[in-house]
Coordinates of all heavy atoms in Angstrom, one line a residue:
L388 N -39.3 -65.6 22.9 CA -38.0 -65.7 23.7 C -38.2 -64.6 24.8 O -38.3 -63.4 24.5 CB -36.9 -65.4 22.8 CG -36.4 -66.4 21.8 CD1 -37.4 -66.6 20.7 CD2 -35.0 -66.1 21.2
R389 N -38.2 -65.0 26.0 CA -38.5 -64.1 27.1 C -37.3 -63.6 27.9 O -37.2 -62.4 28.1 CB -39.4 -64.8 28.1 CG -40.7 -65.3 27.5 CD -41.7 -65.8 28.5 NE -43.0 -66.3 27.9 CZ -43.9 -65.5 27.4 NH1 -43.8 -64.2 27.5 NH2 -45.0 -66.0 26.9
F390 N -36.4 -64.4 28.3 CA -35.2 -63.9 29.0 C -34.0 -64.9 28.9 O -34.2 -66.1 28.4 CB -35.4 -63.6 30.5 CG -35.7 -64.8 31.3 CD1 -34.6 -65.4 32.0 CD2 -36.9 -65.5 31.4 CE1 -34.8 -66.5 32.8 CE2 -37.1 -66.6 32.2 CZ -36.0 -67.1 32.9
A391 N -32.8 -64.4 29.2 CA -31.6 -65.3 29.0 C -30.7 -65.1 30.2 O -30.7 -64.1 30.9 CB -30.8 -64.9 27.7
H392 N -30.0 -66.2 30.5 CA -28.9 -66.1 31.6 C -27.8 -67.0 31.2 O -27.9 -67.9 30.3 CB -29.5 -66.6 33.0 CG -29.9 -68.0 33.0 ND1 -29.1 -69.0 33.3 CD2 -31.2 -68.6 32.7 CE1 -29.7 -70.2 33.3 NE2 -31.0 -70.0 32.9
Q393 N -26.7 -66.9 31.9 CA -25.5 -67.7 31.5 C -25.6 -69.1 32.2 O -25.9 -69.2 33.4 CB -24.2 -67.0 32.0 CG -22.9 -67.7 31.6 CD -21.7 -66.9 31.9 OE1 -21.7 -65.8 32.5 NE2 -20.5 -67.3 31.4
G394 N -25.3 -70.1 31.4 CA -25.3 -71.5 31.9 C -24.0 -72.1 32.1 O -24.0 -73.2 32.6
G395 N -22.9 -71.5 31.8 CA -21.6 -72.0 32.0 C -20.5 -71.3 31.3 O -20.8 -70.3 30.5
M396 N -19.3 -71.6 31.6 CA -18.1 -71.0 30.9 C -17.2 -72.0 30.3 O -17.3 -73.2 30.7 CB -17.3 -70.2 32.0 CG -18.0 -69.0 32.5 SD -17.0 -68.0 33.6 CE -16.8 -69.1 35.0
N397 N -16.3 -71.6 29.5 CA -15.3 -72.5 28.8 C -16.0 -73.7 28.2 O -15.6 -74.8 28.5 CB -14.3 -72.9 29.8 CG -13.0 -73.5 29.2 OD1 -12.6 -73.0 28.1 ND2 -12.4 -74.4 29.8
P398 N -16.8 -73.5 27.2 CA -17.2 -72.3 26.5 C -18.4 -71.6 27.2 O -19.1 -72.2 28.0 CB -17.7 -72.8 25.1 CG -18.3 -74.1 25.4 CD -17.5 -74.7 26.5
P399 N -18.6 -70.3 26.9 CA -19.8 -69.6 27.4 C -21.1 -70.3 26.9 O -21.2 -70.6 25.7 CB -19.6 -68.2 26.8 CG -18.2 -68.1 26.5 CD -17.8 -69.4 26.1
I400 N -22.0 -70.5 27.8 CA -23.3 -71.0 27.4 C -24.4 -70.0 27.8 O -24.4 -69.5 28.9 CB -23.6 -72.4 28.2 CG1 -22.5 -73.4 27.8 CG2 -24.9 -72.9 27.8 CD1 -22.6 -74.6 28.6
V401 N -25.2 -69.7 26.8 CA -26.4 -68.8 27.1 C -27.7 -69.6 27.0 O -27.9 -70.3 26.0 CB -26.4 -67.7 26.0 CG1 -27.6 -66.8 26.2 CG2 -25.2 -66.8 26.0
V402 N -28.4 -69.6 28.1 CA -29.6 -70.3 28.2 C -30.8 -69.3 28.0 O -30.9 -68.4 28.7 CB -29.8 -71.0 29.6 CG1 -31.1 -71.8 29.7 CG2 -28.6 -71.9 29.8
I403 N -31.6 -69.6 27.0 CA -32.8 -68.8 26.7 C -34.1 -69.5 27.1 O -34.3 -70.6 26.7 CB -32.8 -68.4 25.2 CG1 -31.5 -67.6 24.9 CG2 -34.0 -67.6 24.8 CD1 -31.3 -67.3 23.4
H404 N -34.9 -68.8 27.8 CA -36.2 -69.3 28.2 C -37.3 -68.7 27.4 O -37.2 -67.5 27.0 CB -36.4 -69.1 29.7 CG -35.5 -69.8 30.6 ND1 -35.7 -70.9 31.2 CD2 -34.2 -69.5 30.9 CE1 -34.7 -71.3 31.9 NE2 -33.7 -70.5 31.8
G405 N -38.4 -69.4 27.2 CA -39.5 -68.9 26.5 C -40.5 -70.0 26.2 O -40.5 -71.1 26.8
N406 N -41.3 -69.8 25.1 CA -42.3 -70.8 24.7 C -42.1 -71.2 23.3 O -41.6 -70.4 22.4 CB -43.8 -70.1 24.8 CG -44.1 -69.8 26.2 OD1 -43.6 -70.4 27.2 ND2 -45.0 -68.9 26.4
A407 N -42.4 -72.5 23.0 CA -42.3 -73.1 21.7 C -40.8 -72.9 21.1 O -40.6 -72.8 19.9 CB -43.3 -72.4 20.7
L408 N -39.8 -73.0 22.0 CA -38.5 -72.7 21.6 C -37.9 -73.9 20.8 O -36.8 -73.8 20.1 CB -37.6 -72.4 22.7 CG -37.9 -71.1 23.5 CD1 -36.9 -70.8 24.5 CD2 -38.1 -69.9 22.6
D409 N -38.6 -75.1 20.9 CA -38.1 -76.2 20.1 C -38.4 -76.0 18.6 O -37.9 -76.8 17.8 CB -38.8 -77.5 20.5 CG -40.4 -77.4 20.5 OD1 -40.9 -76.2 20.6 OD2 -41.0 -78.4 20.3
R410 N -39.1 -74.9 18.2 CA -39.3 -74.6 16.8 C -38.4 -73.5 16.3 O -38.6 -73.1 15.1 CB -40.8 -74.2 16.7 CG -41.8 -75.3 17.2 CD -43.2 -75.0 16.8 NE -44.1 -76.0 17.3 CZ -45.3 -76.2 16.8 NH1 -45.8 -75.5 15.8 NH2 -46.1 -77.1 17.4
V411 N -37.5 -73.1 17.1 CA -36.5 -72.1 16.6 C -35.6 -72.7 15.6 O -34.9 -73.7 15.9 CB -35.7 -71.4 17.8 CG1 -34.7 -70.5 17.2 CG2 -36.7 -70.7 18.7
P412 N -35.4 -72.2 14.3 CA -34.6 -72.9 13.4 C -33.1 -72.6 13.6 O -32.7 -71.6 14.4 CB -35.0 -72.2 12.1 CG -35.6 -70.9 12.4 CD -36.2 -71.1 13.8
D413 N -32.2 -73.4 13.1 CA -30.8 -73.2 13.3 C -30.3 -71.8 12.8 O -29.4 -71.2 13.3 CB -30.0 -74.3 12.6 CG -30.1 -75.6 13.3 OD1 -30.5 -75.6 14.5 OD2 -29.9 -76.7 12.7
S414 N -30.9 -71.4 11.7 CA -30.5 -70.0 11.1 C -30.7 -68.9 12.2 O -29.9 -68.0 12.3 CB -31.3 -69.7 9.9 OG -32.6 -69.7 10.1
Y415 N -31.8 -69.0 13.0 CA -32.1 -68.0 14.0 C -31.2 -68.1 15.2 O -30.7 -67.2 15.8 CB -33.5 -68.0 14.4 CG -34.0 -66.8 15.1 CD1 -34.2 -65.6 14.4 CD2 -34.1 -66.7 16.5 CE1 -34.6 -64.4 15.1 CE2 -34.5 -65.6 17.2 CZ -34.7 -64.4 16.5 OH -35.1 -63.3 17.1
R416 N -30.8 -69.4 15.4 CA -29.8 -69.6 16.5 C -28.5 -69.0 16.2 O -27.8 -68.3 17.0 CB -29.6 -71.1 16.7 CG -28.6 -71.5 17.8 CD -28.3 -72.9 17.7 NE -29.4 -73.8 18.0 CZ -29.7 -74.4 19.2 NH1 -29.0 -74.1 20.2 NH2 -30.8 -75.1 19.3
R417 N -28.1 -69.1 14.9 CA -26.8 -68.5 14.5 C -26.9 -67.0 14.5 O -25.9 -66.3 14.8 CB -26.5 -69.0 13.1 CG -26.0 -70.4 13.0 CD -25.4 -70.8 11.7 NE -26.4 -70.7 10.6 CZ -27.2 -71.7 10.2 NH1 -27.1 -72.8 10.8 NH2 -28.0 -71.5 9.2
Y418 N -28.1 -66.4 14.2 CA -28.3 -65.0 14.3 C -28.1 -64.5 15.7 O -27.4 -63.5 16.0 CB -29.7 -64.6 13.8 CG -30.2 -63.3 14.2 CD1 -29.7 -62.1 13.6 CD2 -31.2 -63.2 15.1 CE1 -30.2 -60.9 14.0 CE2 -31.7 -61.9 15.5 CZ -31.2 -60.8 15.0 OH -31.6 -59.5 15.4
L419 N -28.7 -65.2 16.6 CA -28.6 -64.8 18.1 C -27.1 -65.0 18.5 O -26.6 -64.1 19.3 CB -29.5 -65.7 18.9 CG -31.0 -65.5 18.8 CD1 -31.8 -66.5 19.6 CD2 -31.4 -64.1 19.1

Side-chain angles (χ1 to χ4, degrees):
L388 288 68
R389 301 192 181 281
F390 70 95
H392 65 86
Q393 185 171 9
M396 294 186 292
N397 196 33
I400 299 172
V401 177
V402 181
I403 297 175
H404 295 261
N406 296 336
L408 300 189
D409 55 332
R410 304 192 181 198
V411 175
D413 288 340
S414 58
Y415 196 77
R416 182 192 295 266
R417 290 192 294 271
Y418 162 72
L419 291 176

